[in-house]
Amino acid sequence: MRSEHTDKKYEEDLKRLRDHILQMGGLVEDQIQKAVNSLVQRDSPLAEAIIERDHEVNHLDVEIDDLCIRLLALHQPAGKDLRFITTALKITTDLERIGDMAVNICERALELNWEPQLKPYIDIPRMAGISQRMIHESLDAFVREDTELALKVCKDDQEVDDLNSQVFRETVSYMIEDPHTINRAMKVGFVSKYLERIADHATNIAEMVVFMVKGKSIRHIKEIPQSI
Amino acid sequence: MPWKHSLVAKFSLFYTGIVLLLLAASFLYSGGVVKRLYTSFLQKKFQQEAKIVSRLLSSQLEGEALDKLCRLIATDLGVRLTVIAPDGKVLGDSEEPSSTMENHGTRPEVLEALAGGTGESIRYSTTVGYEMLYQAIVDRAGPSPRILRLSVPLGDIEEVIGSMRRAILVGLVLISAVGLVFAYLFSRRLGQRVGRMADFSQKVALGSFPQNFFPRKGEDELTLLEQNLNEMSVKIREKIKEILVEKEKVDSILRCMIEGLVVIDTRGTVVLLNDNARQMFHLAANQSFSGASFMEVSRHPEMKKLVEEVLACDCSRECFSKEVSLDEGRWVRVNAVSLRDGDEHPLGYILVFHDITEIKRLETVRADFVANVSHELRTPLTAIRGYVETLLRNPPADPEESQNFLAIVHRHSERLGRLIDDLLTLSDLESGKIQLAREEIEAGDLIRRVEEIFKDQASKKGVAFSHQIDPELPTIVGDPDRLQQLLINLVDNAVKYTAAGGQVKITARASDHTRGAERGAVQVAVVDTGCGIPAKDLPRLTERFYRVDKARSRELGGTGLGLAIVKHIVQAHGGQLKIESKPQQGTTVSVTLPGAIADKKANGVLFLCTANSCRSQMAEGFTRAIAPKETRVFSAGTEPKEIHPLAVKVMEEAGIDISNQTSKGLQAMPLEQIDLVVTLCGEAAESCPTLPPNTRHLHWPLPDPTIAQGDEREVLEAFRKVRDEIRTQVEKLFSLNP
């Protein structure tokens, strides 16, 4: 009776961990989307609201950490569960960083909103869309243990990198043309860099998922394998 | 099934075992019984014989004489006879001289006889060398008692028993062989029946429920069982069918629901979700979510909050309802009710998601409209009131000044009138109150007329005004007044927003489409090089009072309703409106108006049918008769057809001559002219050539092979029915009978 209770509690805790990770993912996705909206639509109150909401992400980060440590201490899981919990521990760090990036974007948006718009934003919303999708898919891969999807996320990173260098070239050309734009162009470049970092974090998550499922590390290698 | 596990083998082995046991028992037992019976018979006989012998043997006889007499009697009786004195001395014996024999006083039968009158014993005789039966009686007839002992060797009886056992063995072996055959046959039959039941249960387990699987014969218990199984199968099948029908109902209800539906249990785990919910949350159609956490369906923070609220609330009394904003500006209204079991324990919640994005948008549009219309009406009104009040309170001394004031009042009242006229036109168009005239119009004339109206205005503003009309323009169908109004509104806008030195051009050309609704359509475009419209304003441009530049357009005298009216006129004509614009470069508004010949739904119909299908002939004939003249009807059969004479008769009744309908080969068909493919049976559909992607396909799946056989009246009736059915279908197809 007692052991059954413990097992049930353990199962529930694992489920809660999974839910929390997804919740955190959903939250940072929303943060990114709104952050980029605040930039594109020059909506300063929205940006401030997002900076305000970052504490929710941080709170979830702490909560997930606690949950993982409790699971490890109380149940001494082995095998798949152990890999799942340790991966979850690492994923939260990445998600928390992504949340910070969203805050950074908002800060740049607030600064940019004080000045006239440098250029219409076309690539930045696209980058945001792709990185958001990457976070979504990497977490989907995490909960479904889908390595195919995880590998797709790793491959999608290239697209964001390309867009980033495109934005970089563009902002540099603005700066060369007119030194007055340097301040704004730099900030736009920062935003692009933040998004690129977000995509990198999503890639990290995807790589950890591959490790979790297959026990095979695909980190720090040049060519992403076609399949595992 | 391996032989050793089969029922037959087990039955046979069991039976054989019993027979063997029986055999052994009877074999062993019968010997004892026979021996006992035989000895008791012999004993009785010996007692009687001994009595007789005692009378024969005179007590005076002794020695040799007694021996001799004994030998005679014993030979007659077939036994050995011994006469013994009470002290055990042998007085006479039939086989050996009595004088040489030892004392018999200790023999058990002798002792027994001395004690009780008779005595018997069966023992191995050392004298003769085999088992002997001894029977002794005391003869008290003489002066001194003597004992007469009769004995016989039991060797004979062993022989009897042996032969009897052989007989029993043979009998038993025969009987058991016959019995084994019967046992085998019986158990095989039983095995077959049980095997059949096993087959049956396997079929049931696999989900097929055979009907009348067991034949109805016999009256035994197995038959009863079989009949019950038969009945059970039928019942289960019915139940499953009922359940399937119910499930199908629920499934189709869930499928047909426009709303997304998610059922969760009390812990927030997904139990069920329908296709629309999948679409709403962008989920893969084939992934199963049953048992997954709601977070896996949507991890939007708002949804998380929503589920927490639903789980916390007591939805039993009233329906939980909330409007939630999702990403991409989507809004959903969520209604939740709790699911409860009989004891009012909550089982879960049903969440229904309505997509209210459009409603939200319309709400915004309506709120804007009300705000705008009051503002638009008030502006001229305020001006009028101001000037009229001035004129009333302190009329200017200078008549020219009052004239000036009155002119302003006049201008504003004109504007107010225009505004109200436009609003009325719009509301009439929207409500469909205006009946559009359907006249054939030359687009060129229309454009030239409008150009006349704006020529002066344009040249005054310094805008170059030109037109470019295709020489061979198809005739269009529509209401000339409305279409003129449409063009006036468009050109008015173009001239208004084009600065001096710019260009306004009206072009008209035939649509590229050779097929379908847009065949013969005319595309009229008003192109300007004006200030252009930002991309974000394009979708809302045709809303009433929507202004791109709120400050400027009113100065130019617009009512804010022009494009809304244009949109409605275009829609009423079944045309299409397209606005393209680049800021600072110009705007192109193009209107596609349906041509006179595009009224028909199809201009080429291909029939695919197999040979000898009377139905297809009738369909083809009808289509030729009913389809509009421009419609080309193709037919592709595999062989030349023979038409049933009665089918011809039925067609003639309807006034259709099908004797000269010819079929052409598939290769001869201009595929790009085919709008509709009608297949009349499955196989022909496969031979259908690759058609352009938008081709419509209609399938009449009822080629009835039995139709051409039977009673003439019945056939005629059947043909008439088919004819009427096809007529309805074809008429519907071409919408000639709306």
Side-chain angles (χ1 to χ4, degrees), chain A residues 7-33:
Chain A
D7 272 348
K8 214 171 167 187
K9 180 97 179 62
Y10 177 52
E11 281 297 314
E12 242 166 49
D13 276 353
L14 277 180
K15 190 172 167 278
R16 207 144 60 92
L17 175 60
R18 187 193 307 259
D19 275 7
H20 272 43
I21 295 270
L22 288 179
Q23 188 189 346
M24 193 167 169
L27 195 61
V28 297
E29 264 179 62
D30 199 46
Q31 293 279 84
I32 297 167
Q33 193 190 14

Side-chain angles (χ1 to χ4, degrees), chain B residues 109-121:
Chain B
E109 67 275 4
V110 176
L111 291 174
E112 209 178 309
L114 282 173
T118 59
E120 71 241 9
S121 163

Side-chain angles (χ1 to χ4, degrees), chain B residues 89-267:
Chain B
K89 186 181 179 286
V90 179
L91 301 175
D93 188 78
S94 60
E95 309 222 333
E96 281 175 60
S98 54
S99 49
T100 61
M101 284 175 73
E102 60 191 73
N103 188 305
H104 273 46
T106 54
R107 297 291 200 276
E109 67 275 4
V110 176
L111 291 174
E112 209 178 309
L114 282 173
T118 59
E120 71 241 9
S121 163
I122 295 169
R123 75 191 130 76
Y124 191 77
S125 154
T126 45
T127 338
V128 286
Y130 38 75
E131 203 172 41
M132 301 284 289
L133 170 71
Y134 296 98
Q135 179 73 40
I137 59 159
V138 181
D139 174 22
R140 296 181 196 279
S144 64
R146 49 184 184 168
I147 294 154
L148 293 180
R149 187 184 76 166
L150 277 74
S151 60
V152 78
L154 280 177
D156 297 352
I157 193 171
E158 293 298 335
E159 239 169 68
V160 170
I161 288 170
S163 68
M164 206 177 82
R165 276 182 173 165
R166 268 196 298 284
I168 289 175
L169 201 64
V170 169
L172 276 175
V173 164
L174 277 177
I175 289 169
S176 55
V178 172
L180 204 62
V181 168
F182 276 110
Y184 172 76
L185 290 176
F186 169 73
S187 57
R188 201 180 63 168
R189 172 97 189 95
L190 195 72
Q192 276 169 353
R193 287 175 79 175
V194 173
R196 215 166 142 72
M197 280 183 206
D199 279 356
F200 173 83
S201 56
Q202 194 177 20
K203 279 205 171 83
V204 170
L206 289 176
S208 80
F209 296 95
Q211 306 286 294
N212 290 327
F213 188 74
F214 301 104
R216 191 178 287 274
K217 62 180 179 196
E219 286 291 323
D220 58 2
E221 290 89 338
L222 273 181
T223 318
L224 202 65
L225 180 63
E226 284 170 356
Q227 292 318 315
N228 286 347
L229 286 178
N230 264 347
E231 209 166 305
M232 185 184 88
S233 171
V234 173
K235 284 272 158 62
I236 292 179
R237 198 169 156 148
E238 275 169 16
K239 286 281 169 217
I240 285 182
K241 214 168 166 187
E242 269 172 39
I243 292 167
L244 279 180
V245 167
E246 281 301 313
K247 191 178 173 301
E248 195 52 44
K249 260 191 227 161
V250 173
D251 278 358
S252 43
I253 289 171
L254 287 182
R255 228 184 359 259
C256 297
M257 273 177 80
I258 305 162
E259 294 85 9
L261 180 136
V262 181
V263 180
I264 55 172
D265 68 8
T266 48
R267 283 166 35 193

Side-chain angles (χ1 to χ4, degrees), chain A residues 125-135 156 159-160 163:
Chain A
R126 264 175 68 197
M127 285 174 79
I130 300 167
S131 10
Q132 208 184 324
R133 194 186 68 214
M134 283 168 67
I135 300 171
D156 284 353
E159 210 175 329
V160 181
L163 280 170

